[in-house]
């Protein structure tokens, strides 16, 4: 399948900027004070990052922001389609807006993101939720100024679900959610077609941003004083396909690592089939990349992995982990696991338990398989009852908590580096932060520590956090 790399042209972006200007004039005529927008993004970091662009465009149009939908003049839900419960929650939230819209007919309601890129969902909104004003898919993000302007000027409800693979839109304004950590998308879409996954169907084919655009953004973030940059993509390990100059993810990491500034680098998500020894060597030789890899395995059974179209075996995976540990004795791993993939047997599930005991992940993101229509797995027989899958899930969580408890205790007495990122939950005077493997660490300290790398001597461990004192 050829990798396409189409971009939104400067002319199109300028046309949207023009719509933003017209919208901002209309808004300043209509409202005495800047109207408020409530923007909520569900799902993965990629979606959070899209949400920051939505807020960037809205700020350009003169909106302020609020955390309460009741006090907003514009509500936008940026949706996720990866599992059914994420979709159900969105319909629940949209349903709850109906009385609000009745009370304030001026309220604008917009829905976007992965769910909306599916025609069937957009049709359902069109027919059953007549009070929703704007619906735009992931491929139409950059069209928000136009859609909003048209609707604000009294045109009919706006629906935009461009077909095709989605294009790269550089230069959209971004309003970041924090001042300490930033997400930096390096690519969009996915070509892997894991059989359970809806992402390639809603986010289109894989397309990489140019290294110069990524580096300029990293330099800008470093200059603004960001302390952590997370490079984002559905499969960062295949970065670079279809770019004019040959470059792979390791090369890109080396260039970001060389950007001057006091910051650290994370990246997600790595696909084990494309994770190379070169990448591990690059992390080992870098100055700024955490020795922590999110490397989703999904299952510990070769049969299930093949049915998922993951294109690696448990043996391949363990060799990769082994090589990384050889090169970096302090490296840690986290993973995603799917429980109850169609046709998974008890024995196959036990192989997953065996694998997680062997790898000893620092964190697991666990999901019960959710049928997504349009994917290959949706056609497969799925005889295991839901209650049985829930029992397996509890077993998986118990197994992981026992591993976690042992790891947490091993921290006691050790001094570790932590990026302080906010106030703690343990009480007055406590600061919270994260170590290299993203574990929560709380310590007593001044508010001025927030936004800095500090050393903390660990004294106590609970399952949700480590506690210590500032060294
Ligand atoms: N059901 C359950 N989990 C899923 N994931 C993706 N699609 C599904 C699905 N249909 C999980 C995978 C992936 C993570 C982001 O979400 O584990 O790595
Ligand atoms: Fe989905 Fe697989 Fe692509 Fe990840 S790599 S987004 S799980 S298809």
């Amino acid at each position: 399948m050829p990798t396409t790399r189409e971009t939104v042209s400067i002319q199109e972006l300028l046309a949207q900027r023009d719509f933003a200007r017209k919208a901002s004039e209309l808004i300043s005529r209509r409202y005495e004070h800047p109207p408020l927008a409530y923007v909520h993004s569900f799902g993965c970091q990629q979606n959070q990052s899209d949400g920051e662009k939505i807020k960037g465009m809205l700020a350009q149009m003169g909106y302020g922001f609020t955390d309460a939908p009741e006090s907003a003049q514009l509500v936008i839900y940026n949706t996720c389609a990866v599992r059914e419960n994420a979709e159900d929650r969105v319909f629940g939230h949209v349903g709850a807006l109906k009385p609000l819209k009745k009370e304030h007919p001026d309220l604008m309601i917009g829905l976007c993101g992965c769910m909306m890129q599916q025609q069937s969902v957009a049709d359902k909104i069109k027919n059953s939720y007549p009070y929703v004003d704007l619906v735009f898919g992931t491929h139409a993000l950059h069209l928000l100024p136009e859609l909003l302007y048209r609707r604000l000027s009294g045109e009919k409800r706006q629906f935009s679900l461009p077909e095709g693979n989605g294009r790269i839109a550089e230069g959209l304004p971004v309003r970041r959610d924090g001042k300490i950590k930033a997400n930096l998308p390096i690519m969009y879409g996915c070509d892997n077609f894991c059989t359970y996954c809806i992402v390639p169907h809603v986010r289109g084919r894989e397309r990489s941003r140019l290294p110069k655009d990524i580096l300029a953004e990293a330099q800008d973030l470093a200059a603004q004083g960001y302390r952590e940059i997370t490079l984002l993509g559905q499969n960062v390990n295949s970065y670079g396909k279809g770019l004019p100059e040959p470059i792979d993810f390791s090369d890109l990491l080396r260039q970001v690592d060389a950007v001057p500034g006091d910051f650290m680098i994370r990246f997600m998500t790595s696909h084990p089939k494309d994770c190379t020894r070169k990448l591990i060597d690059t992390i080992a030789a870098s100055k700024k990349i955490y020795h922590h890899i999110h490397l989703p395995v999904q299952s510990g059974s070769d049969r299930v992995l093949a049915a998922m179209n993951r294109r690696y075996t448990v043996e391949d995976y363990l060799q990769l982990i082994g090589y990384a540990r050889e090169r970096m004795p302090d490296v840690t791993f986290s993973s995603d696991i799917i429980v109850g993939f169609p046709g998974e047997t008890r024995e196959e599930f036990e192989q997953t338990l065996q694998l997680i005991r062997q790898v000893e992940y620092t964190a697991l993101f666990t999901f019960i398989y959710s049928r997504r229509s349009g994917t290959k797995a949706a056609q497969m027989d799925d005889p295991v009852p839901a209650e049985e899958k829930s029992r397996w899930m509890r077993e998986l969580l118990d197994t992981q908590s026992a591993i976690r408890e042992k790891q947490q205790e091993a921290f006691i007495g050790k001094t570790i580096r932590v990026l302080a990122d906010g106030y703690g939950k343990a009480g007055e005077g406590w600061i919270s932060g994260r170590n290299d493997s993203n574990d929560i660490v709380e310590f007593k300290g001044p508010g001025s520590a927030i936004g800095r790398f500090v050393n903390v001597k660990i004294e106590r461990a609970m399952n949700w956090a480590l506690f210590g004192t500032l060294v």
Side-chain angles (χ1 to χ4, degrees):
M1 200 178 304
T3 305
T4 55
R5 203 188 162 279
E6 287 176 50
T7 51
V8 176
S9 71
I10 307 250
Q11 287 76 9
E12 288 171 279
L13 290 170
L14 286 176
Q16 290 305 318
R17 205 166 292 174
D18 211 40
F19 277 114
R21 187 184 47 74
K22 288 198 286 190
S24 125
E25 285 165 8
L26 190 153
I27 283 166
S28 62
R29 280 199 305 276
R30 182 170 302 179
Y31 297 98
E32 205 175 319
H33 303 290
L36 299 178
Y38 169 83
V39 180
H40 184 80
S41 296
F42 295 86
C44 67
Q45 259 115 329
Q46 185 61 61
N47 230 33
Q48 306 297 329
S49 167
D50 285 351
E52 294 180 333
K53 287 182 186 150
I54 291 170
K55 286 185 226 169
M57 289 185 274
L58 293 176
Q60 206 173 44
M61 289 182 259
Y63 280 91
F65 295 92
T66 171
D67 291 333
E70 315 78 69
S71 47
Q73 279 78 42
L74 168 67
V75 172
I76 293 189
Y77 286 119
N78 183 23
T79 63
C80 168
V82 86
R83 280 171 294 274
E84 196 174 2
N85 55 8
E87 293 204 347
D88 291 345
R89 271 196 296 157
V90 169
F91 283 117
H93 283 289
V94 178
L97 291 178
K98 192 175 178 182
L100 207 60
K101 178 91 172 191
K102 219 172 203 164
E103 222 175 292
H104 308 283
D106 279 354
L107 173 68
M108 286 272 149
I109 301 175
L111 301 177
C112 60
C114 291
M115 255 172 97
M116 300 304 140
Q117 190 61 42
Q118 303 170 93
Q119 191 63 51
S120 57
V121 177
D123 290 344
K124 177 166 170 183
I125 301 286
K126 202 173 240 171
N127 299 327
S128 312
Y129 296 83
Y131 54 94
V132 172
D133 298 286
L134 312 170
V135 171
F136 51 109
T138 48
H139 300 347
L141 193 71
H142 62 285
L143 299 178
L144 173 60
E146 176 173 353
L147 302 172
L148 189 55
Y149 172 73
R150 288 186 186 283
R151 185 63 176 153
L152 284 170
S153 348
E155 287 189 34
K156 61 181 189 328
R157 306 161 73 197
Q158 299 287 308
F159 286 77
S160 183
L161 285 82
E163 289 183 358
N165 285 327
R167 295 177 296 158
I168 296 183
E170 286 294 348
L172 294 182
V174 181
R175 186 178 182 276
R176 294 188 192 273
D177 291 337
K179 296 256 172 280
I180 302 170
K181 302 176 184 184
N183 289 324
L184 200 177
I186 62 167
M187 60 203 296
Y188 306 97
C190 181
D191 285 352
N192 291 309
F193 289 94
C194 299
T195 53
Y196 50 80
C197 187
I198 194 76
V199 169
H201 305 267
V202 290
R203 284 203 173 261
R205 295 292 61 70
E206 193 176 289
R207 47 213 186 269
S208 295
R209 292 177 70 193
L210 292 173
K212 75 168 174 54
D213 292 328
I214 296 168
L215 287 172
E217 195 168 335
Q219 280 156 0
D220 181 44
L221 291 168
Q224 288 182 49
Y226 279 92
R227 295 281 175 254
E228 190 175 294
I229 297 178
T230 302
L231 305 180
L232 291 183
Q234 304 297 343
N235 174 11
V236 290
N237 300 127
S238 65
Y239 172 80
K241 270 198 281 173
L243 285 178
E245 303 284 330
I247 179 167
D248 67 13
F249 182 53
S250 305
D251 304 330
L252 178 75
L253 267 180
R254 245 196 311 269
Q255 295 181 23
V256 180
D257 188 54
V259 170
D262 183 18
F263 68 93
M264 292 296 289
I265 303 166
R266 291 187 196 282
F267 55 87
M268 69 189 310
T269 294
S270 279
H271 194 305
K273 84 176 160 59
D274 301 309
C275 182
T276 57
R277 293 191 169 205
K278 178 179 172 188
L279 173 65
I280 288 165
D281 294 341
T282 303
I283 301 170
S286 76
K287 294 189 295 287
K288 297 192 170 104
I289 309 171
Y290 287 121
H291 288 186
H292 176 79
I293 311 178
H294 182 58
L295 196 62
V297 69
Q298 311 296 358
S299 165
S301 145
D302 284 341
R303 194 205 61 83
V304 174
L305 288 174
M308 289 176 164
N309 189 31
R310 293 289 290 177
R311 288 176 275 170
Y312 53 84
T313 62
V314 172
E315 177 60 26
D316 299 334
Y317 184 87
L318 288 174
Q319 279 195 359
L320 207 55
I321 299 265
Y323 181 71
R325 288 196 161 138
E326 216 173 90
R327 291 298 322 266
M328 298 174 276
D330 62 342
V331 73
T332 55
F333 298 92
S334 54
S335 185
D336 296 346
I337 302 280
I338 295 179
V339 172
F341 183 79
E344 184 176 35
T345 63
R346 171 76 206 176
E347 290 71 43
E348 287 164 344
F349 167 67
E350 282 174 11
Q351 291 175 332
T352 300
L353 291 182
Q354 172 56 29
L355 180 73
I356 70 159
R357 282 193 208 102
Q358 200 167 340
V359 178
E360 301 195 336
Y361 296 102
T362 55
L364 273 192
F365 301 90
T366 53
F367 311 101
I368 291 186
Y369 168 75
S370 170
R371 190 180 164 277
R372 308 283 63 208
S373 82
T375 62
K376 270 203 174 154
Q379 314 290 328
M380 298 177 188
D381 272 351
D382 191 4
V384 175
E387 312 80 71
E388 180 71 2
K389 292 186 183 185
S390 300
R391 271 197 295 278
W392 293 359
M393 177 60 121
R394 278 196 297 278
E395 228 175 299
L396 176 66
L397 294 176
D398 289 346
T399 306
Q400 176 62 13
S401 326
I403 294 167
R404 198 63 206 130
E405 208 169 298
K406 214 175 70 185
Q407 284 171 346
Q408 298 274 77
E409 260 154 36
F411 274 114
I412 294 172
K414 291 200 175 124
T415 296
I416 57 176
R417 188 183 56 161
V418 170
L419 172 57
D421 58 10
Y423 289 98
K425 292 205 190 108
E428 184 93 8
W430 286 81
I431 303 292
S432 180
R434 301 263 183 169
N435 67 354
D436 295 19
S437 47
N438 234 346
D439 305 311
I440 300 175
V441 180
E442 294 214 349
F443 58 91
K444 276 210 158 160
S448 59
I450 296 171
R452 296 197 183 171
F453 292 101
V454 294
N455 289 315
V456 177
K457 185 165 184 206
I458 303 302
E459 286 155 352
R460 211 152 46 84
M462 277 165 73
N463 57 7
W464 64 276
L466 298 164
F467 300 88
T469 47
L470 208 51
V471 177

